[in-house]
Amino acid sequence: MLSDADAAAQRALTLEPALPVARYAVALNCELRLDWACAEKAYREMLRLPGVGSREMANAARLLAQIGQPGEALKIAASALALDPLSPARQRDHIIVTINARQADTALALIAAHNAANPGARFDPYWHARALLLKGKPRDAAAMAAKDT
């Protein structure tokens, strides 16, 4: 199945090398193979192209934060959010990148703002618990994680 996805992504690149979504497809396939260097390369190539969407930017930011490049990841996540500021998905992505960048105070402030603005759609307890752990609040994190079950 992954070989079919790889072939489709490569065909898209052949047909339109300047299409950001083609590079995005390559990056996702690399991630599925757990080939972080390949994914990073494809995301970086994608980010150099015009017309990159907010979802694609957010996924690039997520990977960069996970592989130890938090500064760049935060800038890209902020750009993705700026493209689509009302999107709950981009707001969530921005918070998750902030958590993965180990910025607990900022993440907790963003979570509080999200929860205040969306009382019926509280932020994911799993990620909230991770931010609390980063802040050094294991009991609060455990209580929050219990809400996730």
Side-chain angles (χ1 to χ4, degrees):
M1 189 66 102
L2 193 51
S3 61
D4 291 343
D6 284 331
Q10 289 305 318
R11 176 137 170 78
L13 281 177
T14 301
L15 293 173
E16 186 54 67
L19 186 65
V21 74
R23 305 269 177 207
Y24 180 62
V26 171
L28 291 177
N29 291 343
C30 293
E31 284 192 70
L32 288 171
R33 287 194 311 275
L34 307 179
D35 186 344
W36 311 129
C38 172
E40 179 185 4
K41 179 179 183 245
Y43 278 130
R44 288 188 184 286
E45 289 171 353
M46 176 196 75
L47 290 168
R48 286 194 289 270
L49 299 172
V52 178
S54 66
R55 178 186 61 182
E56 292 82 4
M57 286 178 137
N59 278 343
R62 179 191 40 77
L63 177 84
L64 291 173
Q66 290 171 335
I67 63 171
Q69 298 176 40
E72 188 175 4
L74 288 166
K75 288 176 190 172
I76 294 167
S79 295
L81 183 59
L83 280 178
D84 199 358
L86 300 179
S87 166
R90 295 305 75 84
Q91 294 167 10
R92 180 179 183 275
D93 293 334
H94 185 246
I95 295 169
I96 290 170
V97 168
T98 304
I99 293 167
N100 284 338
R102 306 188 66 74
Q103 296 198 2
D105 290 332
T106 302
L108 290 168
L110 290 170
I111 290 168
H114 170 84
N115 288 344
N118 304 286
R122 309 221 16 105
F123 191 72
D124 184 336
Y126 168 82
W127 287 102
H128 195 163
R130 285 194 57 188
L132 289 165
L133 277 175
L134 284 173
K135 182 66 177 165
K137 297 183 173 188
R139 287 192 178 147
D140 292 345
M144 183 57 65
K147 294 178 182 180
D148 196 27
T149 57

